[in-house]
Amino acid sequence: FGIMCLLHFHLEADIAFSWISKAAELGSGEAQLKLAEMLDLGRRCKKDSESALIWFKKAANQGFEEAKDFFEQNNNQLK
């Protein structure tokens, strides 16, 4: 039972990451922000701070204040 629950959770996580990624690539600011957060924290995916900053910037450009704040505080990592 435990292994099946873990497998189910892992598959759901992969599906969630895939759908959020697709929505972000299609221009959804909300999805861009969520994807940035997932990448930054390593939730449902491998942690990737550099990619996270790129998605935070895209979300910030669409007016998401949380993304703007995060990007302004951390954009020196991209330089």
Side-chain angles (χ1 to χ4, degrees), residues 54-70:
I54 292 167
W55 287 108
F56 274 118
K57 182 177 181 181
K58 290 181 182 198
N61 288 340
Q62 292 203 48
F64 287 84
E65 291 300 320
E66 181 182 345
K68 286 180 186 179
D69 294 343
F70 186 92

Side-chain angles (χ1 to χ4, degrees), residues 48-58 71 74-79:
D48 185 345
S49 298
E50 188 173 325
S51 292
L53 281 174
I54 292 167
W55 287 108
F56 274 118
K57 182 177 181 181
K58 290 181 182 198
F71 185 76
N74 296 284
N75 69 353
N76 60 343
Q77 293 179 20
L78 287 179
K79 295 178 183 176

Side-chain angles (χ1 to χ4, degrees), residues 17-32 35 55:
F17 183 79
S18 176
W19 279 103
I20 290 169
S21 295
K22 287 177 184 178
E25 290 168 3
L26 290 172
S28 166
E30 287 181 77
Q32 291 170 349
L35 180 59
W55 287 108

Side-chain angles (χ1 to χ4, degrees), residues 34-50:
K34 184 64 177 173
L35 180 59
E37 292 170 344
M38 292 170 77
L39 289 165
D40 184 54
L41 300 171
R43 286 196 182 140
R44 299 182 175 149
C45 63
K46 184 177 179 182
K47 183 176 172 83
D48 185 345
S49 298
E50 188 173 325

